[in-house]
Every structure is written in C-alpha cells, then in structure tokens.
Amino acid sequence: MATIQHIFHIDASFENVFKAISTIEGIQKWWTSGTRGDDSLQGIIQVRFGDNGGMDFQVTEINPNKSYKWKTVDGHPEWIDTIIDFQLDENDNKVRVTFTHGGWEKASPFMSQCNFSWGRYMISLRDYLEKGQGEPYIG
C-alpha cells in the first residue's frame, strides 16, 4: 500500500478548520465548487470537476474539531477504497492538519499527480481560512 501525506499549520480556530473540511459549503471554498451531497456520518459527498469527472466519498468518521474521514466509493479506479483522513491537533498555537490519502494499491504516476494536486488544495484550504479566499476548482 502507498500513502500521500501533507502536514501543515493553519492560523484559525479548530471550529473553523473543522467546518472547512467537514461541510459541503466548506469544501466548496477550497477544493471544488462542484461539491454536493450529505456530509453527515455514512453520508455520500460527491465531488465534481466539471467535464473532468469526480469522485464519491462515504463519510466514515466524524470527531468534531479533531478528525474527519472519507472512503472513496466511486471515481477513478485507483481511488476506489482509498481513505481521505484529516487529523487536527494544536502545535505552535495553530491548528496542525495532518492530511492523509491512504490505501493506494501501489505508488503510480497517477498517485504522484494526485499528490501534487493535494498539495495545491491544502494551500487553498489554508488560504481560505487565513486570508478569506481559497482557490477551488470552479466548474
């Protein structure tokens, strides 16, 4: 198995960071405006990138202000059954985000491309919370 991981800090409240990663409205502000669905436990979040398709995730864990986890249930074949995991803790008086996209069958060129994209979207998440404006995919 292979894993993507990004660890970074956000100068915002735990409540605001958690809302950004765990609600449809929040995800729309930093990942893609084409996000719909049910962000509650066992709900399905649909993430779309216009004509480029998208993925469906089932919410598998919610610990308010601490963690939020999804399992990929539809989308690119290499994503199926992978886990998106956001863990929040405090470090240097900021919220430290440990983002993991795990369960990849193997490292591949597609996984490397996704790693690059995730890094970009983690910066978008931080910018949304610290500057008021992320750079989500608009489509």
Short mmCIF file of all heavy atoms in Angstrom, two decimals, residues 45-81:
data_model
loop_
_atom_site.label_atom_id
_atom_site.label_comp_id
_atom_site.label_asym_id
_atom_site.label_seq_id
_atom_site.Cartn_x
_atom_site.Cartn_y
_atom_site.Cartn_z
N ILE A 45 -20.59 12.23 -0.12
CA ILE A 45 -20.18 13.53 -0.65
C ILE A 45 -19.75 13.30 -2.09
O ILE A 45 -18.90 12.45 -2.37
CB ILE A 45 -19.00 14.12 0.16
CG1 ILE A 45 -19.42 14.35 1.62
CG2 ILE A 45 -18.50 15.41 -0.47
CD1 ILE A 45 -18.28 14.78 2.52
N GLN A 46 -20.35 14.07 -3.00
CA GLN A 46 -20.00 13.99 -4.42
C GLN A 46 -19.14 15.19 -4.78
O GLN A 46 -19.56 16.33 -4.58
CB GLN A 46 -21.26 13.97 -5.28
CG GLN A 46 -22.12 12.77 -5.04
CD GLN A 46 -23.56 13.13 -4.69
OE1 GLN A 46 -23.93 14.28 -4.64
NE2 GLN A 46 -24.35 12.12 -4.43
N VAL A 47 -17.96 14.93 -5.29
CA VAL A 47 -17.01 15.97 -5.66
C VAL A 47 -16.83 15.90 -7.17
O VAL A 47 -16.46 14.85 -7.70
CB VAL A 47 -15.66 15.75 -4.93
CG1 VAL A 47 -14.62 16.75 -5.37
CG2 VAL A 47 -15.85 15.82 -3.42
N ARG A 48 -17.11 17.02 -7.85
CA ARG A 48 -17.03 17.05 -9.30
C ARG A 48 -16.11 18.16 -9.77
O ARG A 48 -16.04 19.23 -9.16
CB ARG A 48 -18.42 17.24 -9.91
CG ARG A 48 -19.41 16.12 -9.58
CD ARG A 48 -18.98 14.79 -10.21
NE ARG A 48 -19.90 13.71 -9.90
CZ ARG A 48 -19.77 12.87 -8.87
NH1 ARG A 48 -18.75 12.97 -8.04
NH2 ARG A 48 -20.65 11.90 -8.70
N PHE A 49 -15.44 17.88 -10.89
CA PHE A 49 -14.51 18.81 -11.51
C PHE A 49 -14.95 19.07 -12.95
O PHE A 49 -14.23 18.79 -13.90
CB PHE A 49 -13.09 18.25 -11.46
CG PHE A 49 -12.56 18.12 -10.07
CD1 PHE A 49 -12.77 16.96 -9.34
CD2 PHE A 49 -11.86 19.16 -9.47
CE1 PHE A 49 -12.29 16.84 -8.04
CE2 PHE A 49 -11.38 19.05 -8.18
CZ PHE A 49 -11.60 17.88 -7.46
N GLY A 50 -16.17 19.56 -13.11
CA GLY A 50 -16.72 19.86 -14.43
C GLY A 50 -16.69 18.66 -15.34
O GLY A 50 -17.08 17.55 -14.95
N ASP A 51 -16.22 18.85 -16.56
CA ASP A 51 -16.15 17.77 -17.56
C ASP A 51 -15.08 16.73 -17.22
O ASP A 51 -14.99 15.70 -17.89
CB ASP A 51 -15.87 18.35 -18.95
CG ASP A 51 -17.03 19.19 -19.45
OD1 ASP A 51 -18.16 19.00 -18.97
OD2 ASP A 51 -16.79 20.05 -20.33
N ASN A 52 -14.26 16.99 -16.20
CA ASN A 52 -13.20 16.07 -15.82
C ASN A 52 -13.68 14.97 -14.88
O ASN A 52 -12.88 14.16 -14.41
CB ASN A 52 -12.03 16.82 -15.16
CG ASN A 52 -11.39 17.80 -16.12
OD1 ASN A 52 -11.16 17.48 -17.28
ND2 ASN A 52 -11.12 19.00 -15.64
N GLY A 53 -14.96 14.93 -14.58
CA GLY A 53 -15.49 13.88 -13.70
C GLY A 53 -15.30 14.20 -12.24
O GLY A 53 -15.21 15.36 -11.85
N GLY A 54 -15.23 13.15 -11.43
CA GLY A 54 -15.08 13.36 -10.00
C GLY A 54 -15.15 12.06 -9.23
O GLY A 54 -14.99 10.98 -9.80
N MET A 55 -15.40 12.18 -7.94
CA MET A 55 -15.42 11.04 -7.03
C MET A 55 -16.58 11.16 -6.07
O MET A 55 -17.08 12.25 -5.83
CB MET A 55 -14.13 10.98 -6.21
CG MET A 55 -12.86 10.70 -6.97
SD MET A 55 -12.21 12.09 -7.89
CE MET A 55 -11.79 13.28 -6.65
N ASP A 56 -16.96 10.03 -5.49
CA ASP A 56 -17.94 9.98 -4.41
C ASP A 56 -17.24 9.39 -3.19
O ASP A 56 -16.51 8.41 -3.30
CB ASP A 56 -19.13 9.09 -4.76
CG ASP A 56 -20.01 9.66 -5.86
OD1 ASP A 56 -19.79 10.81 -6.28
OD2 ASP A 56 -20.92 8.94 -6.31
N PHE A 57 -17.51 10.01 -2.04
CA PHE A 57 -16.90 9.58 -0.79
C PHE A 57 -17.98 9.30 0.24
O PHE A 57 -18.94 10.07 0.36
CB PHE A 57 -15.99 10.68 -0.22
CG PHE A 57 -14.91 11.13 -1.16
CD1 PHE A 57 -15.09 12.26 -1.94
CD2 PHE A 57 -13.73 10.42 -1.26
CE1 PHE A 57 -14.09 12.68 -2.81
CE2 PHE A 57 -12.74 10.83 -2.13
CZ PHE A 57 -12.92 11.96 -2.91
N GLN A 58 -17.80 8.25 1.02
CA GLN A 58 -18.67 7.99 2.15
C GLN A 58 -17.96 8.49 3.41
O GLN A 58 -16.79 8.17 3.64
CB GLN A 58 -18.99 6.51 2.29
CG GLN A 58 -19.95 6.24 3.43
CD GLN A 58 -20.41 4.80 3.48
OE1 GLN A 58 -19.65 3.89 3.18
NE2 GLN A 58 -21.66 4.61 3.85
N VAL A 59 -18.67 9.28 4.20
CA VAL A 59 -18.11 9.79 5.46
C VAL A 59 -18.09 8.64 6.45
O VAL A 59 -19.12 8.04 6.75
CB VAL A 59 -18.94 10.97 6.01
CG1 VAL A 59 -18.36 11.45 7.33
CG2 VAL A 59 -19.02 12.09 4.98
N THR A 60 -16.90 8.29 6.95
CA THR A 60 -16.75 7.13 7.83
C THR A 60 -16.40 7.48 9.27
O THR A 60 -16.49 6.61 10.14
CB THR A 60 -15.69 6.16 7.28
OG1 THR A 60 -14.43 6.85 7.20
CG2 THR A 60 -16.09 5.63 5.91
N GLU A 61 -15.98 8.72 9.51
CA GLU A 61 -15.63 9.11 10.88
C GLU A 61 -15.77 10.61 11.05
O GLU A 61 -15.33 11.38 10.19
CB GLU A 61 -14.18 8.70 11.17
CG GLU A 61 -13.70 9.06 12.57
CD GLU A 61 -12.25 8.66 12.77
OE1 GLU A 61 -11.93 7.48 12.57
OE2 GLU A 61 -11.46 9.54 13.13
N ILE A 62 -16.41 11.00 12.14
CA ILE A 62 -16.53 12.42 12.49
C ILE A 62 -16.22 12.56 13.98
O ILE A 62 -16.92 12.00 14.81
CB ILE A 62 -17.95 12.96 12.24
CG1 ILE A 62 -18.36 12.80 10.77
CG2 ILE A 62 -18.03 14.43 12.66
CD1 ILE A 62 -19.82 13.17 10.50
N ASN A 63 -15.15 13.28 14.29
CA ASN A 63 -14.82 13.67 15.66
C ASN A 63 -14.69 15.18 15.64
O ASN A 63 -13.65 15.71 15.23
CB ASN A 63 -13.50 13.04 16.13
CG ASN A 63 -13.65 11.58 16.45
OD1 ASN A 63 -14.60 11.19 17.10
ND2 ASN A 63 -12.71 10.77 15.99
N PRO A 64 -15.74 15.91 16.04
CA PRO A 64 -15.73 17.36 15.91
C PRO A 64 -14.45 18.01 16.42
O PRO A 64 -13.97 17.73 17.51
CB PRO A 64 -16.96 17.79 16.73
CG PRO A 64 -17.88 16.61 16.62
CD PRO A 64 -16.97 15.41 16.65
N ASN A 65 -13.91 18.87 15.56
CA ASN A 65 -12.69 19.64 15.81
C ASN A 65 -11.44 18.79 15.98
O ASN A 65 -10.39 19.29 16.37
CB ASN A 65 -12.87 20.57 17.02
CG ASN A 65 -14.03 21.51 16.84
OD1 ASN A 65 -14.34 21.93 15.72
ND2 ASN A 65 -14.70 21.84 17.92
N LYS A 66 -11.54 17.49 15.66
CA LYS A 66 -10.38 16.58 15.77
C LYS A 66 -10.10 15.79 14.50
O LYS A 66 -8.95 15.69 14.10
CB LYS A 66 -10.58 15.62 16.93
CG LYS A 66 -10.58 16.30 18.27
CD LYS A 66 -10.68 15.31 19.39
CE LYS A 66 -10.73 16.10 20.70
NZ LYS A 66 -10.45 15.34 21.85
N SER A 67 -11.12 15.19 13.89
CA SER A 67 -10.86 14.37 12.71
C SER A 67 -12.13 14.22 11.86
O SER A 67 -13.25 14.30 12.37
CB SER A 67 -10.32 12.99 13.09
OG SER A 67 -11.29 12.27 13.83
N TYR A 68 -11.87 13.99 10.58
CA TYR A 68 -12.95 13.76 9.61
C TYR A 68 -12.39 12.83 8.56
O TYR A 68 -11.30 13.08 8.03
CB TYR A 68 -13.39 15.10 9.00
CG TYR A 68 -14.70 15.06 8.25
CD1 TYR A 68 -15.91 14.94 8.92
CD2 TYR A 68 -14.73 15.17 6.87
CE1 TYR A 68 -17.12 14.93 8.25
CE2 TYR A 68 -15.93 15.18 6.18
CZ TYR A 68 -17.12 15.06 6.87
OH TYR A 68 -18.32 15.06 6.19
N LYS A 69 -13.10 11.76 8.26
CA LYS A 69 -12.55 10.72 7.38
C LYS A 69 -13.58 10.31 6.34
O LYS A 69 -14.76 10.17 6.66
CB LYS A 69 -12.14 9.51 8.23
CG LYS A 69 -11.22 8.53 7.54
CD LYS A 69 -10.84 7.38 8.46
CE LYS A 69 -9.87 7.81 9.53
NZ LYS A 69 -9.29 6.66 10.26
N TRP A 70 -13.10 10.08 5.08
CA TRP A 70 -13.93 9.63 3.98
C TRP A 70 -13.31 8.39 3.35
O TRP A 70 -12.10 8.24 3.32
CB TRP A 70 -14.00 10.64 2.84
CG TRP A 70 -14.18 12.07 3.16
CD1 TRP A 70 -14.90 12.63 4.17
CD2 TRP A 70 -13.63 13.18 2.42
NE1 TRP A 70 -14.84 13.99 4.09
CE2 TRP A 70 -14.09 14.36 3.03
CE3 TRP A 70 -12.83 13.27 1.28
CZ2 TRP A 70 -13.75 15.62 2.55
CZ3 TRP A 70 -12.51 14.54 0.80
CH2 TRP A 70 -12.95 15.69 1.43
N LYS A 71 -14.17 7.56 2.77
CA LYS A 71 -13.74 6.42 1.96
C LYS A 71 -14.24 6.64 0.54
O LYS A 71 -15.42 6.96 0.33
CB LYS A 71 -14.30 5.12 2.51
CG LYS A 71 -13.92 3.90 1.70
CD LYS A 71 -14.51 2.63 2.30
CE LYS A 71 -14.13 1.42 1.48
NZ LYS A 71 -14.69 0.20 2.05
N THR A 72 -13.36 6.48 -0.44
CA THR A 72 -13.76 6.65 -1.84
C THR A 72 -14.60 5.45 -2.28
O THR A 72 -14.14 4.31 -2.20
CB THR A 72 -12.53 6.78 -2.76
OG1 THR A 72 -11.63 7.73 -2.20
CG2 THR A 72 -12.94 7.21 -4.16
N VAL A 73 -15.82 5.73 -2.72
CA VAL A 73 -16.73 4.65 -3.14
C VAL A 73 -17.01 4.67 -4.63
O VAL A 73 -17.53 3.69 -5.17
CB VAL A 73 -18.06 4.68 -2.33
CG1 VAL A 73 -17.78 4.37 -0.86
CG2 VAL A 73 -18.79 6.00 -2.49
N ASP A 74 -16.65 5.76 -5.33
CA ASP A 74 -16.82 5.81 -6.78
C ASP A 74 -15.87 6.86 -7.33
O ASP A 74 -15.59 7.87 -6.67
CB ASP A 74 -18.26 6.17 -7.14
CG ASP A 74 -18.57 5.91 -8.62
OD1 ASP A 74 -17.86 5.12 -9.27
OD2 ASP A 74 -19.53 6.53 -9.13
N GLY A 75 -15.37 6.62 -8.53
CA GLY A 75 -14.45 7.56 -9.17
C GLY A 75 -13.36 6.83 -9.91
O GLY A 75 -13.55 5.69 -10.35
N HIS A 76 -12.22 7.45 -10.02
CA HIS A 76 -11.07 6.85 -10.71
C HIS A 76 -10.75 5.50 -10.06
O HIS A 76 -10.71 5.39 -8.83
CB HIS A 76 -9.87 7.78 -10.64
CG HIS A 76 -8.74 7.36 -11.52
ND1 HIS A 76 -7.89 6.33 -11.20
CD2 HIS A 76 -8.35 7.82 -12.73
CE1 HIS A 76 -7.01 6.17 -12.16
NE2 HIS A 76 -7.26 7.07 -13.11
N PRO A 77 -10.49 4.47 -10.87
CA PRO A 77 -10.24 3.14 -10.30
C PRO A 77 -9.14 3.09 -9.24
O PRO A 77 -9.25 2.33 -8.28
CB PRO A 77 -9.86 2.29 -11.51
CG PRO A 77 -10.47 2.99 -12.68
CD PRO A 77 -10.48 4.46 -12.34
N GLU A 78 -8.10 3.90 -9.38
CA GLU A 78 -7.02 3.88 -8.40
C GLU A 78 -7.45 4.50 -7.06
O GLU A 78 -6.80 4.29 -6.05
CB GLU A 78 -5.77 4.60 -8.93
CG GLU A 78 -5.06 3.81 -10.03
CD GLU A 78 -3.73 4.43 -10.41
OE1 GLU A 78 -2.91 4.74 -9.50
OE2 GLU A 78 -3.49 4.60 -11.62
N TRP A 79 -8.54 5.27 -7.06
CA TRP A 79 -9.03 5.89 -5.83
C TRP A 79 -9.98 4.99 -5.05
O TRP A 79 -10.16 5.19 -3.84
CB TRP A 79 -9.77 7.21 -6.16
CG TRP A 79 -8.89 8.39 -6.37
CD1 TRP A 79 -7.84 8.49 -7.24
CD2 TRP A 79 -9.00 9.65 -5.73
NE1 TRP A 79 -7.30 9.75 -7.17
CE2 TRP A 79 -7.99 10.48 -6.26
CE3 TRP A 79 -9.85 10.16 -4.76
CZ2 TRP A 79 -7.81 11.80 -5.85
CZ3 TRP A 79 -9.67 11.48 -4.37
CH2 TRP A 79 -8.66 12.28 -4.90
N ILE A 80 -10.63 4.04 -5.71
CA ILE A 80 -11.65 3.23 -5.04
C ILE A 80 -11.07 2.57 -3.79
O ILE A 80 -9.98 1.99 -3.82
CB ILE A 80 -12.23 2.16 -5.99
CG1 ILE A 80 -12.86 2.82 -7.22
CG2 ILE A 80 -13.24 1.27 -5.27
CD1 ILE A 80 -14.02 3.74 -6.94
N ASP A 81 -11.79 2.71 -2.68
CA ASP A 81 -11.43 2.17 -1.37
C ASP A 81 -10.27 2.89 -0.69
O ASP A 81 -9.84 2.48 0.39
CB ASP A 81 -11.16 0.66 -1.41
CG ASP A 81 -12.41 -0.14 -1.74
OD1 ASP A 81 -13.52 0.31 -1.37
OD2 ASP A 81 -12.28 -1.20 -2.36
#
